[in-house]
Amino acid sequence: MVSSALYRYFPSRDDLLTALIVDAYDALGAHTEASARATAGRPPVQRWVEAAMAIRSWAVQRPHDYALLYGTPIPGYAAPDDTVSPGTRVSLALVGIVADAARDGSLEVSIEAPGGVTISEGTTASLRRLLDVIEHAALSEPTMFAVILAWTQLFGLLTFELFSQTRDIVDDDALLFRDAAITMARRIGLAES
């Protein structure tokens, strides 16, 4: 197949990129959602860690797709709204695990506890709007803040691994990632049993 044949199926380079991005987001989202469903009823820390490890396994098996989603932006390409819904599937699966824990009473600690952090009024308002959009009334703004911090740390650590930033520093990237996921789950306040 010659490269020009692609334009029989996609009107432009941006349309092709969007299709590839949506496909990758949907694949990662489905993989993470399947993990969350498979671990329903287990302790929340275990659910979070298994979902995190599912994300990592997908990324390690499909590093080019991961790089397309979370790597260097493509010059001249602006992702259209078509990518938003598929792009939120992973984060919604993670938030769902925390919301389940809040509903069943196994969200033990809040970021509001002594020694927690201070969240500005502007960030609190943004978190409130986000919670309204995703319809997770069981979660507080500080808990959602902790989830966002954990989610971005997961992807930051994974990006470091896949782009060889931990080379010659970390002996076992999977073990480091699991340890970090456990720590993040505890910081969110997820129960271990």
Side-chain angles (χ1 to χ4, degrees):
M1 177 185 253
V2 293
S3 60
S4 61
L6 289 173
Y7 291 106
R8 290 185 199 150
Y9 304 99
F10 299 98
S12 70
R13 172 200 80 139
D14 287 3
D15 291 311
L16 172 60
L17 285 170
T18 298
L20 292 170
I21 289 167
V22 166
D23 181 61
Y25 271 139
D26 278 335
L28 177 55
H31 193 69
T32 308
E33 291 161 353
S35 172
R37 278 191 309 276
T39 59
R42 294 186 190 160
V45 166
Q46 184 182 2
R47 292 188 72 205
W48 178 274
V49 171
E50 290 306 314
M53 296 308 290
I55 293 166
R56 182 184 177 277
S57 72
W58 182 91
V60 168
Q61 292 168 11
R62 297 174 67 169
H64 297 296
D65 286 334
Y66 183 87
L68 179 64
L69 300 177
Y70 302 106
T72 304
I74 299 165
Y77 175 77
D81 290 343
D82 298 2
T83 62
V84 174
S85 181
T88 60
R89 289 178 68 179
V90 169
S91 52
L92 289 176
L94 294 172
V95 169
I97 291 169
V98 178
D100 289 348
R103 278 190 294 275
D104 73 17
S106 56
L107 187 61
E108 295 178 332
V109 181
S110 169
I111 203 164
E112 297 166 302
V117 300
T118 302
I119 305 170
S120 69
E121 287 185 34
T123 298
T124 299
S126 295
L127 293 167
R128 194 172 303 118
R129 283 191 306 277
L130 175 61
L131 287 166
D132 287 343
V133 168
I134 62 174
E135 299 176 354
H136 278 299
L139 300 180
S140 67
E141 292 87 0
T143 297
M144 191 65 209
F145 184 66
V147 172
I148 289 172
L149 292 178
W151 167 56
T152 57
Q153 288 172 342
L154 278 175
F155 279 87
L157 185 55
L158 188 50
T159 299
F160 264 49
E161 175 185 347
L162 292 178
F163 296 162
S164 300
Q165 298 300 310
T166 57
R167 183 183 66 238
D168 299 329
I169 299 171
V170 176
D171 293 328
D172 187 336
D173 285 301
L175 183 59
L176 173 65
F177 195 81
R178 180 176 289 281
D179 290 345
I182 292 168
T183 301
M184 292 171 210
R186 289 175 179 158
R187 285 185 180 164
I188 292 168
L190 297 174
E192 297 197 47
S193 57

